[in-house]
Amino acid sequence: MSAPAAAAAVPYLPLTRPTLDEETIAGVVEVLRSGWITSGPNVKALEGKLSEYFGGRPVRVFNSGTCTMEIALRIAGVGAGHEVITTPLSWVATSNVILEVGARPVFVDIDPVTRNLDLDLIEGAITPATRAIIPVDLAGLPVDRDRLHAIAKKHGLRIVEDAAQSMGSTWNGKRIGATGDFVSVSFHPNKNITTIEGGCLVMTTEAEAKLAEQYRLQGVVRSGLDGMEVEVVGGKFNLTDVAARVGLGQLPRLEEFNGKRRELARAYFEAFAAHGAAALGLGLPVADLVQSNWHMFQVVLPPAVKRAEVMAALHAAGIGSGVHYPAIHLFALYRRLGWKEGDFPKAEAVCRSILTLPLFPAMTRADVTRVVEVLTGILLGHGKS
Ligand SMILES: *Cc1c(COP(=O)(O)O)cnc(C)c1O
């Protein structure tokens, strides 16, 4: 008699994973064989499709969702001596770009419910040096665009929306990016659609788009067959055609991907309710199943629970998790610039205990149930051993 087959191991559930179809992979191979692999016809085609998606606004693509914000600030003339208001709860890119152009970030605390910057605090942070606001739609949950734009208009400020995480989210029925001032999106592999690395900037005027092209590539402006001029210090931020071809395969699937993410988010809420998450002291995200693209599903652990222990226990059970993000103002670089513990207590409390759970289109409801069972089990046992 042969030994009974071992129970099939449950495969490791990663925090996230991009969905790339065979048609896109074949398209990439075609670009690789075409003889033109850097910025070219695929970049132009992706910019055309994105512009269509964003209601006809000018769009340019770049090799990251970080440089897009830096370039927007440069186009807006933000630099030395200026201040830019933003949130301490974001990927550090959001405020690094402010330093990069020579300006000073001015953080305001978050609303612990939405985890986005607290719009009530913005007007109190405005000084004569303020030039712009960079709001972040954390996890895809949109900041109130009506209030944001009303504040900016009243004080004559520019807005650079860090919509890195909110591709496909909406505000009052309008797509993020289809309205507003500068809108920056990231196509990093963890984001809702990807170009491997990459991003796009949505602008308002063709003049801004022309300037964006200059900042994208060494400030170069070509004319005629042999003319070249340089007037601004540009960088090296162009997207390759290989990457753009990935994006052309991803964009038509955005609504499908986000629909799947919403369905999984709903499953998380149902499973957490069934497992008594509230009684365990677990903080759930705003249950916005309409406007958010559910880029991430993030919980806030009870303050007494050690996050690293929970992450280790999840990992041991075959489940990935992540931290998005540590508070920006408490990084060494920012402490050296004068910020300290206690400056933004609401953000600090959330940043200490926030935990991102697996959520990506190829996941199943059964995966969600398993994550919730394992996590609530860990919290029930926490401190008992
Ligand atoms: C991903 C991300 C960025 C930066 O995008 P990259 O494409 O990685 O440069 C900026 N801000 C936020 C909030 C992000 O999530």
Side-chain angles (χ1 to χ4, degrees):
M1 216 168 72
S2 61
V10 182
Y12 194 86
L13 180 66
L15 179 62
T16 186
R17 193 170 65 208
T19 298
L20 294 163
D21 53 52
E22 289 305 317
E23 194 274 332
T24 302
I25 292 168
V28 165
V29 171
E30 215 173 283
V31 174
L32 287 170
R33 290 195 171 120
S34 71
W36 193 280
I37 57 178
T38 189
S39 310
N42 282 281
V43 162
K44 275 260 178 298
L46 181 58
E47 288 176 340
K49 293 286 182 201
L50 286 166
S51 176
E52 239 172 71
Y53 178 83
F54 290 117
R57 301 184 68 194
V59 179
R60 294 296 181 273
V61 295
F62 302 81
N63 59 18
S64 79
T66 300
C67 70
T68 45
M69 292 190 283
E70 180 188 324
I71 288 169
L73 290 173
R74 291 195 194 283
I75 295 171
V78 177
H82 297 152
E83 294 175 357
V84 179
I85 297 171
T86 192
T87 169
L89 201 187
S90 182
W91 175 226
V92 67
T94 308
S95 58
N96 279 351
V97 295
I98 301 170
L99 296 176
E100 192 64 45
V101 302
R104 180 165 177 91
V106 172
F107 298 108
V108 296
D109 211 343
I110 62 160
D111 168 348
V113 175
T114 64
R115 303 163 186 170
N116 286 329
L117 88 184
D118 184 346
L119 293 176
D120 287 340
L121 302 177
I122 289 189
E123 292 200 274
I126 294 173
T127 75
T130 310
R131 291 294 179 277
I133 307 170
I134 307 188
V136 178
D137 303 318
L138 190 74
L141 183 71
V143 171
D144 181 335
R145 294 301 196 272
D146 299 317
R147 283 193 65 196
L148 182 70
H149 288 108
I151 294 168
K153 192 166 169 212
K154 181 172 162 198
H155 296 275
L157 304 176
R158 300 301 298 265
I159 296 178
V160 179
E161 295 178 24
D162 183 348
Q165 302 187 0
S166 51
M167 181 76 183
S169 296
T170 57
W171 178 259
N172 277 344
K174 291 187 202 116
R175 279 178 183 161
I176 295 303
T179 63
D181 196 353
F182 294 104
V183 183
S184 162
V185 180
S186 168
F187 301 136
H188 178 276
N190 286 359
K191 303 293 155 65
N192 291 30
I193 58 169
T194 187
T195 58
I196 308 177
E197 297 289 352
C200 75
L201 183 63
V202 188
M203 292 157 282
T204 306
T205 66
E206 285 305 325
E208 287 170 350
K210 285 281 162 254
L211 209 42
E213 289 178 10
Q214 294 175 43
Y215 283 118
R216 180 167 65 180
L217 200 72
Q218 314 293 3
V220 164
V221 180
R222 293 177 187 277
S223 56
L225 281 179
D226 60 351
M228 187 189 293
E229 191 50 90
V230 176
E231 284 179 355
V232 300
V233 184
K236 173 65 180 172
F237 300 127
N238 58 304
L239 191 74
T240 70
D241 252 27
V242 175
R245 181 59 187 84
V246 175
L248 283 166
Q250 291 271 291
L251 184 57
R253 301 195 61 185
L254 175 65
E255 294 306 314
E256 169 204 339
F257 290 163
N258 286 354
K260 191 70 199 296
R261 284 173 177 275
R262 258 180 218 114
E263 192 187 301
L264 294 165
R266 184 188 303 276
Y268 264 119
F269 285 113
E270 289 170 4
F272 273 125
H275 286 80
L280 289 169
L282 202 59
L284 297 182
V286 174
D288 181 340
L289 295 167
V290 177
Q291 302 198 118
S292 175
N293 68 357
W294 289 97
H295 169 60
M296 295 189 284
F297 194 99
Q298 299 181 287
V299 295
V300 176
L301 300 173
V305 170
K306 290 202 174 70
R307 181 171 59 192
E309 286 178 9
V310 173
M311 294 176 79
L314 284 169
H315 179 73
I319 296 169
S321 61
V323 175
H324 305 92
Y325 298 93
I328 292 174
H329 66 287
L330 299 181
F331 287 129
L333 168 66
Y334 289 84
R335 285 179 188 266
R336 281 206 303 277
L337 295 172
W339 284 281
K340 61 188 184 311
E341 201 105 21
D343 284 346
F344 309 104
K346 290 175 184 161
E348 288 165 26
V350 170
C351 291
R352 262 194 303 274
S353 299
I354 199 164
L355 185 69
T356 310
L357 302 177
L359 180 59
F360 54 91
M363 259 175 79
T364 64
R365 286 183 75 95
D367 291 326
V368 170
T369 308
R370 185 163 77 90
V371 173
V372 171
E373 283 172 0
V374 171
L375 177 60
T376 51
I378 293 167
L379 293 177
L380 276 171
H382 201 84
K384 285 192 186 152
S385 52

